[in-house]
Amino acid sequence: MKLLVATQNKHKKEEIEAILNPSFEVVTLSDLNDFDEVEETGDSFFENALLKASYYAKKHQMLTLADDSGLCIDALNGEPGIYSARYSGGSDQENIQLVLDKLRDTQDRGAHFTCVLVLYDPSTNAHQSFQGDLYGIIESKPKGSNGFGYDPIFFVPEYKQTLAEMHSKHKNLISHRAIALQALKEALI
């Protein structure tokens, strides 16, 4: 079965394929040469994921999966949250540096990643949502070269590593997106 994943991000495609294969043939917006941007005007991860899923599902008439995810830091009242990808207005490294600067004088380094997936069926206009959370601690400096986004500063105590220090196969088993995708997979089977 074909599944449109509403992303241009090749890392997300790889992660989703690794979890959903062989149940689905994953197609991304890049594969369809679709470079439209859906403005994320929602006030929550769910609202933003639903906006994207419904837009692309209706546009391409395909079962569509969209996600919104981000890092929520306790000491920053949940920031960067839904603004995680564009927190600093710059690159991943600039986002990381902004977080580290804001946490410089605090001992409270608790955080969690949240991922909300929305699966939208354009033939019925029905949707389902799935959420995954991964709890950890923000490191004082980046460690590791795997992963993307905030992975180099997100330390997972149970594994004594940042997400960027983990092999991608291991990360794909424990990440917030993996937890949400596992819930999706179970619901579909």
Side-chain angles (χ1 to χ4, degrees), residues 135-151:
Y135 291 85
I137 298 167
I138 302 299
E139 285 280 10
S140 57
K141 62 182 182 183
K143 296 178 183 174
S145 57
N146 297 326
F148 58 99
Y150 297 94
D151 289 357

Side-chain angles (χ1 to χ4, degrees):
M1 175 186 289
K2 272 192 181 180
L3 175 67
L4 174 59
V5 177
T7 188
Q8 305 282 352
N9 186 320
K10 69 176 185 157
H11 298 291
K12 281 186 186 178
K13 179 183 181 179
E14 291 166 1
E15 196 172 351
I16 290 168
E17 279 181 324
I19 293 166
L20 293 183
N21 256 353
S23 306
F24 292 93
E25 178 188 342
V26 175
V27 178
T28 66
L29 297 172
S30 299
D31 298 327
L32 299 175
N33 291 315
D34 184 339
F35 299 100
D36 277 0
E37 294 275 334
V38 173
E39 192 174 349
E40 295 181 5
T41 56
D43 292 327
S44 67
F45 293 119
F46 168 75
E47 288 176 11
N48 285 334
L50 180 59
L51 283 168
K52 293 183 278 190
S54 62
Y55 174 81
Y56 292 111
K58 291 172 184 174
K59 181 178 180 181
H60 294 287
Q61 288 301 303
M62 292 176 71
L63 186 63
T64 300
L65 181 67
D67 85 308
D68 197 32
S69 57
L71 177 64
C72 303
I73 301 171
D74 300 344
L76 301 180
N77 298 313
E79 285 184 16
I82 61 172
Y83 305 105
S84 292
R86 53 193 183 279
Y87 194 45
S88 70
S91 67
D92 285 351
Q93 289 75 23
E94 290 168 303
N95 288 338
I96 286 171
Q97 192 57 54
L98 180 57
V99 164
L100 295 178
D101 290 346
K102 286 189 171 195
L103 292 178
R104 182 171 292 133
D105 298 323
T106 184
Q107 296 300 310
D108 180 4
R109 305 197 65 96
H112 66 276
F113 274 114
T114 292
C115 175
V116 174
L117 298 171
V118 172
L119 183 67
Y120 195 96
D121 184 343
S123 66
T124 62
N125 289 324
H127 68 273
Q128 291 178 277
S129 67
F130 307 88
Q131 181 169 328
D133 297 292
L134 178 65
Y135 291 85
I137 298 167
I138 302 299
E139 285 280 10
S140 57
K141 62 182 182 183
K143 296 178 183 174
S145 57
N146 297 326
F148 58 99
Y150 297 94
D151 289 357
I153 59 169
F154 192 85
F155 181 79
V156 184
E158 301 93 285
Y159 298 97
K160 297 178 177 49
Q161 295 180 301
T162 66
L163 289 176
E165 291 175 300
M166 292 181 188
H167 188 279
S168 62
K169 286 183 180 176
H170 188 212
K171 179 190 165 193
N172 287 346
L173 295 174
I174 68 157
S175 77
H176 53 302
R177 189 170 292 107
I179 294 165
L181 282 167
Q182 197 57 47
L184 163 73
K185 190 175 184 178
E186 288 168 15
L188 295 176
I189 295 171

